[in-house]
Amino acid sequence: RLDVFISNLDKLAGQEIGDVVFNGLDSGDAVQTYAKVVGVISSPTAGAEIGQVNFETAVAGSNDVRMAIVGGDVGIGPTAPDQRLDVRSELAIFGSSASLARLRLRGFYTSSPGDPPTDQTDIMMIDTGAATVLRVRYNDAGVMEVGDLALV
């Protein structure tokens, strides 16, 4: 079932002004919202208006924003992206063939840029699917290393 909501002419920042809701039945015949597209006023300032579209999906029965477009910026993870493409999660880019190189990026958050992780966290890895070509990570001492799979 598809539900459409359109609000009155609100003019407050953060105000939801319309949405499209995708509902269906779960295995117990209860109505579940599986996905939702929400239009939001990000900034109502005359002459400098900014619109926002949030894309929500259900995970374990709970909906949350997974992607947001705010003005001209797209956020996958953050609801207030501050870059043209702002991804706050692990990222994997794969070719359409096993013979093509793959790029995997993994982000991490610390309280201070001078306090890197010390668990040999891979930050970036490029591989062919069969072998790692390049790996960037922090070693146990918190020093960034660049090399191949054999990094210790």
Side-chain angles (χ1 to χ4, degrees), residues 26-103:
D26 65 15
S27 62
D29 291 333
V31 174
Q32 166 68 41
T33 297
Y34 286 94
K36 188 175 177 182
V37 180
V38 181
V40 178
I41 296 172
S42 188
S43 172
T45 304
E49 298 87 346
I50 299 173
Q52 179 169 343
V53 178
N54 293 334
F55 296 87
E56 300 180 13
T57 60
V59 173
S62 179
N63 278 44
D64 203 359
V65 177
R66 311 294 175 199
M67 183 173 77
I69 301 172
V70 182
D73 297 336
V74 176
I76 300 175
T79 57
D82 57 11
Q83 301 292 324
R84 185 66 59 206
L85 177 59
D86 190 345
V87 179
R88 308 262 176 108
S89 184
E90 292 184 22
L91 173 67
I93 302 171
F94 298 96
S96 60
S97 167
S99 64
L100 297 175
R102 301 182 297 181
L103 170 65

Side-chain angles (χ1 to χ4, degrees), residues 6-25:
I6 301 172
S7 79
N8 56 9
L9 295 176
D10 294 309
K11 58 181 179 179
L12 301 173
Q15 181 68 46
E16 183 176 315
I17 54 176
D19 58 47
V20 177
V21 182
F22 300 87
N23 293 315
L25 297 178

Side-chain angles (χ1 to χ4, degrees), residues 104 106 119-127 132-138 144-152:
R104 288 183 259 184
R106 178 178 174 185
D119 63 353
Q120 296 193 356
T121 301
D122 288 323
I123 299 166
M124 181 178 73
M125 186 184 301
I126 300 174
D127 66 49
T132 298
V133 178
L134 175 70
R135 187 180 218 169
V136 178
R137 71 174 181 194
Y138 283 100
M144 183 179 285
E145 296 179 324
V146 178
D148 60 18
L149 188 61
L151 290 174
V152 179

